[in-house]
Every structure is written in C-alpha cells, then in structure tokens.
C-alpha cells in the first residue's frame, strides 16, 4: 500500500502511537534494570504523564508540568524524558521541543519521596533513529549560540523497533551524558530490548497523548466490549451481533485498570481519559455501530459483532466517514488534516 494512500496514513498513525508506547516501556525498563543482578531495581518505578510541580517563589504557587515519563531509580536519582517519534521537517518548530525540556530543568517536586524532592535527575529526549542526527545537530547549534544550557545533565537517546525472527527495541545514546555511569555505558553501546520478554511485564497501551481513533476503537472492540457479554452470548456463534449496553465511566475504568500504568495519588493523570472514550463512542455512533441511550449522556448501546481485522476495519470506516461528512468528524478525525500529519507524511 503506497505511503501517501489515505488508509495507509491512518494506519501509520496507529503504528507510531504504538511504537511510542513501546519506546516508553523499553527505555523505562532499561533505566530500572539492574544489569549486575539481572533484575529490576527493587526501589525503582516509572510514571507516565505525572503532574510534576514547579514552585514560583514570586507567586508562592505551584505550576504543574507533565513530562512524558518520570523515572525514579531510587530516592536519590531519576530521569525526566520527553518522547518524540515524529519531528516536523521544518526546523522553525524544533525550539518547542527544547523549550519544553527547559521547563523541567528546575528542582521539580512530585517525586515518590517524603519531601517529594530528589537529589539529582537527568533530562532525556527520546526520538526515532531517523531523526537523531538532525535533532542533535540542531541542539548543538543552539547550544553554541548560548541557548539551552541545561543545569541538569541532558542526553538524546534514539530508538528503533526491528528484528527478524524476534522483535527488539534498540536504544542508543546518541548525544550527552547520564549520571548513572553503568546506564550511560550500556546505552552508549546500544541496548537491544527483547520485546517478547519485556512487553508482557507491562500491559500498557496508552501514554498521555490521545491515541488515533482506529487504535482506540480496535482496543475497545477486541479487549473491552467482549467483557460486557454474558457467557451465553460470548459462546454463541448463531447470533449475528449482540447488543451491549455500557457506561463510558465503566469502560474508562476497565481501560485504566487493564492497560495503563497508574500510581494512586493526586499527581497521577487518568490515562486514558474519559473524553477520549467519549470521542470513540461518538465515532461508533456515526459509523452506525452504536446508539446513544436515553438513560444518560454517557450511556451507549453497541451492536457488537465479530470483525476479522478490527484495526483495518475501523481505519477504513474512519477514512470513508471523513470523506462523506467532514464537518461532523472534524474534531475526532483532526489528525487526518492537521499540520503535523501533513509534515509527518513527508518525513523519511
């Protein structure tokens, strides 16, 4: 399928989202891995979309910042990372990446310690291997001009998913230094994370950015909606479809419990968010696979049926629906016409 095919572009968005989730898991796992004892460091953890605090002394108030990943190896050391698989070819937008990282170059609070502070943490940008040279050259140029002289150690780590018989996520520290010398050396020499071994340890399918609709609808159709079937319906091969009545809040709770990495405190964002699920349900309504129920604004009935390949099915339906009714779908399908999507489709 040609890369400029509209359906291929929609499928690519889902693949990019999934690979970003995999990169988050693999990098966090590697940081928390004790390579000497071949086990996870007992005191370590990582948090996705955590609200970290920046204290403004002038206003005596706290401003929230939400890095993509907050990794805490122990009470003394951690890493805050941003993940950018796709980077726009136009360099005039690249300053936004480093401006965002600059915001984290403070004594942020929100760590899992009694004081919510930590002695030392590094800053890392995770990006795809195809962009590592360009983004590093850009950063070096700005650094030489006097910009982005971070107080904390900063590194750029490239990732790439590949392999033949077995899939790996490759991590390579392309620029900068990490305070943990063992980790620094491992990443300098390139680490191959065996996905067949590591991914089953984490059931994560989301990070703190909204997923493409077909990606989310696929997870709902395969993993969540069948949980609302009765045993009789689940085992029946006679009925063409089953009508499932469900509440968005219950669906969201199942997704969060089963496919998100959550820390139970006030700083943790709810991922996925309920409004993401609402958008997916409204899309199913437009595709005539669901109906709003009169019992409430967040109650829906789903005409659940077997679909051979739900991801392709929903990607095709989204593409057709977009073409037929652009005004209705503008909010939900905005990735199809967004500036970023147009830039990304031209990326190598």
């Amino acid at each position: 399928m040609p890369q400029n095919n509209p359906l291929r572009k929609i499928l690519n968005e889902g693949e990019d989202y999934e690979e970003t989730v995999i990169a988050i898991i693999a990098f966090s796992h590697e940081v928390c891995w004790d390579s000497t004892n071949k086990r996870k460091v007992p005191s370590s953890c990582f948090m996705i979309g955590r609200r970290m605090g920046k204290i403004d002394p002038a206003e005596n108030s706290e401003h929230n910042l939400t890095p993509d990943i907050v990794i805490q190896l122990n009470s003394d050391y951690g890493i805050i990372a941003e993940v950018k698989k796709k980077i726009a070819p136009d360099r005039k937008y690249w300053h936004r990446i480093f401006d965002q990282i600059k915001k984290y170059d403070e004594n942020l609070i929100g760590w899992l310690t009694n004081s919510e502070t930590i002695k030392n943490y590094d800053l890392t940008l995770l990006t795809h291997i195809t962009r590592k040279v360009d983004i590093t050259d850009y950063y070096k140029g700005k650094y030489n001009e006097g910009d982005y002289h971070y107080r904390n150690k900063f590194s750029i780590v490239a990732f790439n998913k590949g392999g033949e018989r077995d899939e790996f996520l490759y991590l390579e520290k392309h620029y900068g230094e990490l305070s943990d010398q063992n980790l620094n050396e491992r990443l300098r020499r390139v680490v191959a994370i065996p996905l067949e071994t590591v991914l089953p340890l984490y059931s994560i399918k989301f990070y703190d950015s909204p997923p493409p609709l077909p990606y989310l609808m696929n997870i709902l159709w395969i993993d969540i909606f069948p949980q609302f079937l009765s045993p009789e319906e689940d085992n029946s091969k006679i009925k063409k479809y089953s009508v499932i009545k469900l509440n968005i809040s219950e669906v969201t709770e199942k997704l969060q419990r089963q496919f998100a990495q959550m820390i139970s405190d006030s700083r943790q964002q709810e991922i996925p968010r309920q409004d993401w699920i609402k958008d997916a349900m409204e899309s199913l309504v437009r595709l005539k696979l669901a109906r709003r129920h009169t019992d409430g604004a967040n109650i829906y009935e789903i005409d659940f049926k077997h679909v051979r390949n739900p991801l392709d099915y929903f990607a095709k339906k989204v593409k057709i629906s977009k073409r037929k009714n652009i005004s209705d779908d503008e909010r939900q399908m905005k990735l199809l016409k967004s500036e970023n999507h147009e830039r990304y489709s031209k990326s190598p």
Side-chain angles (χ1 to χ4, degrees):
M1 187 185 301
Q3 287 298 310
N4 60 356
N5 180 288
L7 175 59
R8 180 68 262 172
K9 291 180 180 180
I10 294 173
L11 291 171
N12 284 346
E13 289 172 357
E15 291 169 4
D16 289 342
Y17 191 93
E18 182 179 38
E19 190 168 341
T20 299
V21 172
I22 291 172
I24 288 171
I25 294 171
F27 179 71
S28 301
H29 178 85
E30 183 62 26
V31 172
C32 296
W33 185 249
D34 181 345
S35 59
T36 302
N37 297 307
K38 307 298 181 186
R39 64 174 185 175
K40 178 180 175 289
V41 175
S43 58
S44 65
C45 68
F46 68 94
M47 297 156 278
I48 298 173
R50 184 168 179 80
R51 297 184 186 95
M52 302 296 283
K54 178 180 178 180
I55 302 298
D56 186 336
E59 298 180 5
N60 193 27
S61 61
E62 176 184 328
H63 299 289
N64 283 331
L65 300 169
T66 52
D68 289 333
I69 328 172
V70 175
I71 308 172
Q72 185 168 320
L73 194 62
N74 51 51
S75 59
D76 293 331
Y77 176 64
I79 294 176
I80 287 180
E82 282 291 293
V83 187
K84 304 293 181 186
K85 182 178 188 294
K86 292 287 189 178
I87 296 176
D90 193 336
R91 295 190 175 212
K92 70 181 181 181
Y93 298 100
W94 290 9
H95 69 92
R96 297 175 183 174
I97 298 171
F98 299 101
D99 287 345
Q100 185 67 26
I101 294 171
K102 180 67 177 175
K103 293 177 182 179
Y104 309 144
D105 193 34
E106 303 282 347
N107 294 321
L108 297 186
I109 62 173
W111 300 93
L112 298 179
T113 62
N114 291 335
S115 65
E116 287 198 289
T117 62
I118 200 170
K119 289 182 179 179
N120 178 40
Y121 65 88
D122 298 335
L123 304 170
T124 296
L125 171 64
L126 281 172
T127 190
H128 194 259
I129 193 171
T130 56
R131 284 300 188 195
K132 68 177 185 179
V133 172
D134 290 338
I135 200 69
T136 299
D137 287 351
Y138 174 87
Y139 174 76
K140 287 179 178 178
K142 290 296 182 181
Y143 184 90
N144 291 336
E145 292 172 5
D147 295 331
Y148 306 122
H149 286 209
Y150 302 131
R151 296 187 304 172
N152 293 311
K153 286 188 176 180
F154 171 67
S155 60
I156 296 174
V157 175
F159 66 86
N160 184 45
K161 186 159 72 77
E164 296 179 0
R165 289 178 53 189
D166 300 317
E167 276 196 317
F168 293 86
L169 198 287
Y170 298 95
L171 295 169
E172 175 201 4
K173 189 201 69 175
H174 183 67
Y175 172 84
E177 297 293 322
L178 293 144
S179 298
D180 184 322
Q181 289 305 304
N182 187 293
L183 174 65
N184 189 70
E185 186 64 15
R186 295 203 310 270
L187 291 176
R188 187 179 74 86
R189 295 179 177 277
V190 182
V191 175
I193 310 293
L195 298 183
E196 188 178 72
T197 301
V198 170
L199 291 185
L201 301 176
Y202 309 91
S203 58
I204 301 168
K205 294 184 183 291
F206 302 96
Y207 65 109
D208 65 336
S209 290
L213 273 171
Y215 177 91
L216 175 55
M217 293 159 77
N218 178 62
I219 292 172
L220 290 171
W221 207 265
I222 291 177
D223 298 309
I224 300 300
F225 292 164
Q227 297 179 36
F228 290 89
L229 294 172
S230 67
E232 294 78 14
E233 289 176 307
D234 195 26
N235 295 324
S236 174
K237 296 182 180 179
I238 299 174
K239 298 177 71 172
K240 290 184 179 179
Y241 65 88
S242 297
V243 177
I244 302 172
K245 182 181 176 183
L246 47 81
N247 188 312
I248 284 181
S249 61
E250 188 175 358
V251 172
T252 304
E253 183 182 349
K254 285 181 179 291
L255 284 166
Q256 290 174 353
R257 187 172 65 251
Q258 297 172 35
F259 300 120
Q261 187 268 356
M262 302 292 286
I263 301 293
S264 298
D265 66 19
S266 60
R267 289 191 179 275
Q268 180 61 54
Q269 289 190 74
E270 291 189 346
I271 300 173
R273 297 202 312 262
Q274 185 165 305
D275 60 298
W276 302 356
I277 316 308
K278 179 77 171 180
D279 284 349
M281 292 298 185
E282 285 298 314
S283 293
L284 288 172
V285 169
R286 282 192 296 278
L287 298 177
K288 303 190 183 305
L289 293 170
R291 294 171 299 283
R292 303 180 192 95
H293 200 278
T294 55
D295 284 356
N298 289 327
I299 310 296
Y300 290 80
E301 283 186 338
I302 308 295
D303 292 333
F304 185 76
K305 61 183 179 180
H306 172 71
V307 176
R308 181 173 295 179
N309 188 330
L311 183 58
D312 282 359
Y313 177 81
F314 288 122
K316 290 174 184 176
K317 290 286 188 180
V318 164
K319 178 175 72 71
I320 293 169
S321 178
K322 174 70 177 180
R323 187 170 64 244
K324 285 184 176 180
N325 196 348
I326 189 168
S327 60
D328 274 357
D329 286 349
E330 185 173 4
R331 184 164 64 93
Q332 283 77 17
M333 313 307 177
K334 62 185 178 180
L335 289 178
L336 292 177
K337 67 176 185 178
S338 69
E339 183 181 4
N340 283 345
H341 178 79
E342 290 301 319
R343 295 188 211 116
Y344 296 165
S345 67
K346 298 174 186 176
S347 299

